[in-house]
């Protein structure tokens, strides 16, 4: 995961352990650790757990997008396709823009330079009233492909304990494993129109959950 460090105000990679965010010493970005291989990532996780530079209780941590894209992010929801600009990619603790009027929830895959899937994370695309991408929320955590196991992921969206939609994402889906781009998202769950201050709760199965408020800071 990646969070905003309260000491220095910079984004820092971290391990999540027993409800605590354990800051990784050094300047390694999560994206670079993944690219270096699962062995390097595992070693970084061990360093963070053994000697964290800081410890923050998870609810008090400001979660950033776990990875920062450098190119357009292809997103698919049914027959609809979008390419989301990197500047629109945010973390789940970032404010959702007031122009967001509906959401599509699902899973994003991070792929290596050779095309293999490195990790997965929850994803939520926010659309404006014209159906164009207003924002793409990723996170809060990344789960490596070898940790995920087999079988589809159950994704659902709720508001005030009322289910708005649910769907399945197969991590082996061709769009995630062989589609365009280094980061790509598959979003099977569509919400009805949303209004400012609506709180959307997204459950992405073993990838985790998050809750965001439209048009406001979490």
């Amino acid at each position: 995961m990646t969070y905003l460090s309260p000491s220095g105000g910079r984004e820092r990679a971290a391990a999540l352990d027993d409800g605590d965010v354990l800051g990784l010493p050094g300047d390694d970005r999560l994206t670079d650790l993944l690219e270096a291989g699962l062995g390097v990532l595992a070693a970084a996780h061990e360093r963070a757990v053994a000697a964290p530079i800081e410890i923050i209780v998870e609810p008090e941590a400001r979660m950033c997008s776990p990875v920062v894209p450098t190119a357009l992010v292809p997103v698919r929801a049914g027959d609809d396709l979008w390419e989301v600009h990197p500047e629109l990619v945010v973390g789940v603790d970032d404010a959702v823009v007031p122009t967001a009027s509906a959401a599509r929830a699902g899973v994003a895959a991070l792929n290596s330079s050779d095309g293999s899937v490195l990790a997965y994370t929850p994803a939520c695309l926010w659309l404006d009233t014209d159906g164009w991408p207003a924002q793409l929320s990723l996170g809060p955590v990344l789960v490596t492909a070898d940790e995920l196991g087999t079988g589809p992921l159950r994704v659902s969206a709720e508001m005030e304990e009322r289910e708005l939609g649910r769907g399945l994402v197969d991590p082996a889906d061709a769009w995630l494993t062989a589609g365009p781009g280094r980061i790509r998202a598959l979003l099977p769950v569509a919400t009805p129109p949303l209004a400012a201050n609506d709180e959307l709760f997204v459950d992405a199965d073993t990838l985790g959950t998050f809750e965001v408020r439209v048009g406001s800071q979490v």
Side-chain angles (χ1 to χ4, degrees):
M1 63 182 300
T2 301
Y3 72 103
L4 188 66
S5 173
S7 55
R10 61 179 291 269
E11 293 187 5
R12 182 180 294 279
L16 183 63
D17 185 70
D18 197 25
D20 290 329
V21 175
L22 310 177
L24 176 67
D27 298 323
D28 294 311
R29 298 186 310 162
L30 188 53
T31 304
D32 297 332
L33 293 170
L34 281 165
E35 281 286 357
L38 296 181
V40 173
L41 182 64
H45 182 276
E46 292 177 2
R47 293 203 315 273
V49 172
I53 194 169
E54 58 190 357
I55 301 175
I56 306 172
V57 179
E58 183 182 3
E60 297 178 2
R62 172 75 179 273
M63 303 299 187
C64 305
S65 174
V67 293
V68 180
T70 57
L72 296 174
V73 178
V75 176
R76 178 180 175 184
D79 294 330
D80 295 323
L81 300 174
W82 299 274
E83 289 185 324
V84 180
H85 196 279
E87 292 183 357
L88 298 181
V89 177
V90 298
V92 296
D93 279 350
D94 291 311
V96 176
V97 292
T99 54
S101 66
R104 302 289 185 270
V107 173
L110 173 64
N111 297 267
S112 67
S113 56
D114 65 9
S116 60
V117 178
L118 295 171
Y120 298 88
T121 192
C124 187
L125 177 67
W126 303 92
L127 302 173
D128 63 20
T129 54
D130 295 321
W132 291 101
Q135 204 161 296
L136 176 63
S137 300
L138 297 180
V141 299
L142 282 176
V143 177
T144 57
D146 64 322
E147 293 177 310
L148 195 58
T150 59
L153 296 167
R154 296 174 176 82
V155 180
S156 63
E158 299 178 2
M159 187 172 65
E160 297 180 349
E161 299 184 354
R162 176 172 59 90
E163 186 175 279
L164 302 180
R166 66 170 50 242
L168 298 175
V169 175
D170 183 357
D173 187 281
W175 175 261
L176 295 176
T177 60
R182 294 289 297 277
I183 302 172
R184 43 190 177 259
L186 184 61
L187 312 176
V189 179
T191 73
L194 302 171
N197 294 318
D198 282 346
E199 292 186 3
L200 185 68
F201 178 81
V202 175
D203 187 334
D205 206 335
T206 55
L207 296 183
T209 64
F210 64 88
E211 187 171 21
V212 287
R213 184 190 299 269
V214 178
S216 177
Q217 195 73 23
V218 175

